[in-house]
Amino acid sequence: MTQNELIEREIHNLYLSESRRVLATLIRLLRDFELAEEALHDAFAAALTQWPACGIPANPRAWLVSTGRFKAIDHIRRQQRFGQLSDEMAALCDTDAPEPLTDDDRIPDDRLRLIFTCCHPSLSPEARTALTLREICDLNTEEIASAYLCKPATIAQRIVRAKRKIRTANIPYEVPGPSELSERLHSVLQVIYLVFNEGYSASSGKHATRTSLADEAIRLARLLHELLPNPDVNGLLALMLLNHSRSNARTNNAGDIIPLESQNRELWDRAAINEGCQRVREALTAGPAGTYTLQAAISAVHADAPCWAETDWAEIVGLYDLLLHQQYSPVVALNRVVALSYRDGPDIALTELNALLAGGDLDQYYPAFAAQADLLRRLERFAEAARAYRLALSLTAQEPEQAFLQKRLGECEKNPPLSINTTATRL
């Protein structure tokens, strides 16, 4: 391999490892997403031209930031003849001005500012997710559209509107102060978890999972915890690691769903489990457990069980009780019912589930009716179970889930003898 080819490979590796960090700094300096993105690509193009002749600089990232900034300034000056520059853009053209200092010395990384900007509560949840995947995770619009089964044009519009809102509303590129941090951090964690859930269990489509999306969420949570150590961030990271550790066992070679109790636990990622359990312990000892930490603790109980039969269902139900006491959610209540069915029996759990369904909050949530069908099947009330399976089938667009439910429906329609316990709600 020639020297030039080695340098080109190094530039490629730098793009993979540093481009998002360079972009975040350029966005802070230039106060404009599009201008910063163009400057980023101009900087790497300049590196491809100059580094083979001059060598790789001692601090490549600083070189890329500086080059990108001056490329942007040149672009602004070329556009000056088309109209009056804003005061902010005119200030950028003062090349003798020192580089702006960080406005938040507590956390000296521009990526964290960018995360909070992309997840600002004034943006819609859909816009936050799309903008985060584009700017922080470097997914293109086609990849984001594929993950969420939208048209690329729809995703592109969301991103454009979000950038426009940030500009027109003058949303600051900064980490919020202590008085706002709790609310804003909650929004960031919500976006990361939404990204993970879509990867862990796709809402629709031909595949049960989208591994790359779950990986991106975990990578983003690692970055956030590195830059802003916090028990809630650690709890969310633990939860995602523990759930994702089962990925290799959740489907077979044909893509069919394998319920938790039937999974080959030797396929579980023990390194991810060990890290997740350690992070749960750290989060629990750091202060009052948040919702993500409690959910991670539930996943840790599953991970600690050597087999399905030895799962500590009493511990799991107790953790769900704590979670519901802290923040009620009908989905959490549903998951507690499933756990209760293995501690106290399907008949007691069915009574609680029917009362939960009567509230109407889960009318469009297919796992609720899948869980009801499973409880009825375990009680050998097959005709009622079949009706519940049909309702669950009508509410899901994910093809592997449809196949799983259809199989259970067929078993109920044939009135088979009771087989091993299987839960339609995958814990």
Side-chain angles (χ1 to χ4, degrees), residues 1-15 47-49 51-52 56:
M1 184 176 292
T2 67
Q3 183 67 20
N4 283 359
E5 289 173 335
L6 287 171
I7 290 177
E8 288 177 4
R9 173 179 287 186
E10 180 63 23
I11 292 172
H12 174 73
N13 291 336
L14 275 169
Y15 184 87
L48 285 169
T49 300
W51 290 6
I56 299 176

Side-chain angles (χ1 to χ4, degrees), residues 19 60 69 79 82 87 142 165 178 204 235 250 254 329-330 335 340 348 360 391 405 422:
S19 64
R69 179 169 178 261
Q79 297 300 313
F82 293 109
D87 291 341
E142 288 76 15
K165 178 66 175 290
S204 56
R250 293 181 61 231
S329 159
N335 290 335
L340 186 70
I348 293 175
L391 182 53
L405 296 172
T422 57

Side-chain angles (χ1 to χ4, degrees), residues 301-315:
V301 175
H302 283 293
D304 284 340
C307 63
W308 173 260
E310 297 183 45
T311 303
D312 189 344
W313 292 109
E315 178 71 11

Side-chain angles (χ1 to χ4, degrees), residues 57-73:
N59 189 334
R61 182 166 61 87
W63 187 96
L64 290 164
V65 170
S66 178
T67 300
R69 179 169 178 261
F70 283 111
K71 292 284 186 182
I73 290 171

Side-chain angles (χ1 to χ4, degrees), residues 352-419:
E352 290 207 15
L353 177 56
N354 288 341
L356 181 62
L357 289 172
D361 292 330
L362 299 172
D363 284 351
Q364 301 302 312
Y365 191 60
Y366 83 86
F369 298 100
Q372 183 187 48
D374 186 70
L375 294 175
L376 290 164
R377 183 189 62 81
R378 288 163 58 190
L379 291 167
E380 299 187 346
R381 294 162 59 177
F382 296 113
E384 295 170 84
R387 286 194 292 271
Y389 276 127
R390 292 188 193 99
L391 182 53
L393 270 165
S394 71
L395 294 173
T396 179
Q398 188 203 102
E399 293 179 22
E401 189 67 61
Q402 289 174 337
F404 177 83
L405 296 172
Q406 189 64 54
K407 179 182 177 182
R408 291 288 177 257
L409 173 59
E411 292 172 355
C412 289
E413 289 176 335
K414 293 177 182 177
N415 248 12
L418 188 64
S419 58

Side-chain angles (χ1 to χ4, degrees), residues 53-320:
C54 304
I56 299 176
N59 189 334
R61 182 166 61 87
W63 187 96
L64 290 164
V65 170
S66 178
T67 300
R69 179 169 178 261
F70 283 111
K71 292 284 186 182
I73 290 171
D74 288 342
H75 173 77
I76 293 170
R77 285 172 170 165
R78 288 195 300 271
Q79 297 300 313
Q80 191 170 11
R81 66 180 182 274
F82 293 109
Q84 191 70 27
L85 289 178
S86 67
D87 291 341
E88 189 172 26
M89 289 294 103
L92 288 174
C93 293
D94 181 7
T95 57
D96 294 328
E99 182 174 306
L101 298 175
T102 174
D103 55 5
D104 184 355
D105 292 330
R106 291 178 297 125
I107 301 172
D109 196 302
D110 290 315
R111 289 174 296 175
L112 189 58
R113 291 179 179 81
L114 185 54
I115 291 171
F116 277 92
T117 301
C118 291
C119 298
H120 195 277
S122 67
L123 303 176
S124 71
E126 297 82 6
R128 293 178 214 162
T129 303
L131 193 60
T132 299
L133 288 172
R134 177 70 197 95
E135 304 302 331
I136 306 297
C137 300
D138 198 24
L139 272 65
N140 61 40
T141 53
E142 288 76 15
E143 290 170 322
I144 301 170
S146 175
Y148 287 92
L149 297 178
C150 295
K151 294 179 180 179
T154 300
I155 296 297
Q157 289 171 0
R158 288 178 185 172
I159 293 172
V160 168
R161 284 196 294 267
K163 291 177 179 178
R164 184 184 302 124
K165 178 66 175 290
I166 290 170
R167 184 173 61 252
T168 58
N170 199 27
I171 292 174
Y173 296 85
E174 64 183 17
V175 177
S179 62
E180 299 178 6
L181 185 58
S182 177
E183 176 192 356
R184 293 280 298 279
L185 181 60
H186 177 70
S187 175
V188 171
L189 296 182
Q190 271 190 326
V191 169
I192 294 175
Y193 197 35
L194 282 171
V195 172
F196 176 79
N197 279 335
E198 184 60 29
Y200 179 74
S201 181
S203 57
S204 56
K206 296 182 178 180
H207 303 288
T209 61
R210 295 187 174 93
T211 302
S212 61
L213 211 55
D215 288 339
E216 284 293 344
I218 291 173
R219 187 184 70 81
L220 189 54
R222 286 191 188 281
L223 170 63
L224 184 60
H225 188 260
E226 174 189 339
L227 302 175
L228 184 65
N230 178 282
D232 289 334
V233 180
N234 214 16
L236 176 58
L237 180 53
L239 173 61
M240 295 190 297
L241 284 167
L242 289 165
N243 286 349
H244 201 41
S245 70
R246 303 194 293 265
S247 293
N248 290 335
R250 293 181 61 231
T251 57
N252 60 21
N253 292 335
D256 299 323
I257 290 174
I258 302 175
L260 179 60
E261 66 273 19
S262 301
Q263 290 175 15
N264 179 359
R265 299 188 177 214
E266 293 183 0
L267 296 177
W268 290 5
D269 185 342
R270 299 313 307 184
I273 289 173
N274 291 338
E275 181 185 352
C277 288
Q278 177 60 33
R279 289 185 179 277
V280 170
R281 289 190 288 269
E282 292 172 358
L284 287 171
T285 57
T291 57
Y292 295 119
T293 299
L294 289 174
Q295 291 177 72
I298 292 168
S299 290
V301 175
H302 283 293
D304 284 340
C307 63
W308 173 260
E310 297 183 45
T311 303
D312 189 344
W313 292 109
E315 178 71 11
I316 290 174
V317 172
L319 287 167
Y320 273 125

